[in-house]
Amino acid sequence: MVNKGADAVTEAELVDGDTILGEKENLTPGLSGTFSLNVKAGKYQLYCPGADTEKVDFTVTQATGATAAATRSAEVTTALTAATTGYATYVRQQVADLVTTTGAFVTAVKAGDLDQAAKLYGAPRLDYERIEPVAESFGDLDPAIDARVDDAPDEASWTGFHRLEKAIFADRSLAGTAPIADKLNTDVGKLNTLVAKATFQPAQIANGATELLDEVGKTKITGEEERYSKLDLLDIQGNIEGADKAFTLLEPALKSLDPTLASTVRTRFTAMDKALAPYKEGTGYVSYDKVTQDQRRGLSQAVDALAEPLSQVAGVVVS
């Protein structure tokens, strides 16, 4: 996919109804990108938000001859099957934890306890950021839970964590936020119901890991994600941990398919952890407004160094 100059288009998605099967973000003018998936024969759509024609029909026909799965070794096939099962278990546990931590946070918000709400805000953010691409695959659910003010049509329709973040850390008032807190609780419950039925394929897991790194580069390093709480480093930790878990599950198969790539990605994850380490403070991180522009550039370079080889994993596990 290549964006040849459409300023309004920044991503491309393969969708099945309301479900996003795969996507490539940050396709600003002049940039290109890819993502890999195995999908069943059928009718899908390519969706490019902001394009003159936003949705284009995309038909997949059954391939002839031996499939990639049939030509893989039994060892690799077993490892990839274990990865898909393990990732489904991981996602469900993270969302179950999210239900619990969001519930506690919402209780504090509805009680009007600013200090307790501020204290409890970070835990569900970490749970959510680990599995963000999965939430994004369910249409409008991610915007309802995680939209920033500039993502919403207007402040009146703005809901989710960041609406409450502003109330707690900027406005210092929880007046009128009970309905927003209740909706957040409901939306997180919907996510929990949806992931209980979700299944994943190896390339989807790998693409999700890449998307998590894209999230870091797109909104976390800039400081726009947690602009009121300044907990951006916590969000970065969540994105990196989620990407690392996805890669770890695919790593046994990748070591057989492309040991050099597997080693490179693991080395870059280690370097990413080292890049974050100086900013740890107690059980969390320093406030992001204490991180200088030069330090942010250093973090960005570590993210880019990891994202480049990680983006190759999906193509390997598909082929």
Side-chain angles (χ1 to χ4, degrees), residues 45-238:
Q45 288 185 312
L46 282 173
Y47 176 42
C48 296
D52 291 339
T53 302
E54 291 193 332
K55 291 187 176 181
V56 177
D57 291 338
F58 186 88
T59 301
V60 176
T61 56
Q62 184 65 47
T64 58
T67 64
T71 60
R72 288 182 184 133
S73 70
E75 179 184 8
V76 170
T77 299
T78 299
L80 290 175
T81 300
T84 60
T85 303
Y87 192 68
T89 299
Y90 173 72
V91 168
R92 288 167 191 153
Q93 184 58 59
Q94 290 302 311
V95 178
D97 292 345
L98 176 65
V99 169
T100 300
T101 54
T102 300
F105 170 64
V106 163
T107 296
V109 170
K110 293 184 69 176
D113 190 336
L114 271 171
D115 290 341
Q116 184 70 351
K119 180 181 177 181
L120 295 177
Y121 174 74
R125 296 300 300 147
L126 190 58
D127 294 330
Y128 189 81
E129 292 296 333
R130 291 182 182 125
I131 52 87
E132 188 170 9
V134 177
E136 289 175 342
S137 72
F138 299 119
D140 293 335
L141 196 52
D142 173 69
I145 293 172
D146 197 39
R148 298 175 298 279
V149 63
D150 32 327
D151 297 325
D154 52 65
E155 191 161 347
S157 62
W158 182 27
T159 62
F161 280 116
H162 294 303
R163 173 64 184 86
L164 296 173
E165 178 204 5
K166 181 176 182 291
I168 295 164
F169 296 96
D171 301 339
R172 298 296 295 166
S173 171
L174 293 171
T177 60
I180 297 166
D182 283 335
K183 185 178 187 307
L184 175 61
N185 222 18
T186 298
D187 288 336
V188 167
K190 289 178 183 177
L191 178 61
N192 193 38
T193 299
L194 289 168
V195 299
K197 306 171 188 176
T199 59
F200 303 93
Q201 56 178 270
Q204 193 176 8
I205 298 169
N207 285 329
T210 300
E211 289 167 26
L212 284 167
L213 266 292
D214 288 344
E215 284 288 332
V216 176
K218 183 180 178 182
T219 63
K220 273 69 171 188
I221 292 293
T222 62
E224 63 187 276
E225 180 80 6
E226 300 287 352
R227 66 190 67 176
Y228 312 110
S229 66
K230 309 301 181 185
L231 292 178
D232 301 271
L233 288 167
L234 187 71
D235 283 12
I236 291 173
Q237 177 192 341

Side-chain angles (χ1 to χ4, degrees), residues 218-293:
K218 183 180 178 182
T219 63
K220 273 69 171 188
I221 292 293
T222 62
E224 63 187 276
E225 180 80 6
E226 300 287 352
R227 66 190 67 176
Y228 312 110
S229 66
K230 309 301 181 185
L231 292 178
D232 301 271
L233 288 167
L234 187 71
D235 283 12
I236 291 173
Q237 177 192 341
N239 286 160
I240 298 300
E241 286 181 354
D244 196 347
K245 180 64 176 182
F247 175 72
T248 298
L249 289 165
L250 293 170
E251 199 169 6
L254 191 63
K255 284 180 176 179
S256 294
L257 295 166
D258 190 335
T260 300
L261 180 60
S263 177
T264 298
V265 175
R266 177 50 63 203
T267 299
R268 301 287 172 82
F269 266 115
T270 301
M272 186 71 245
D273 290 340
K274 288 181 179 178
L276 277 173
Y279 306 103
K280 289 186 176 178
E281 185 176 77
T283 58
Y285 291 89
V286 300
S287 177
Y288 201 56
D289 55 1
K290 295 180 180 179
V291 181
T292 67
Q293 288 300 320

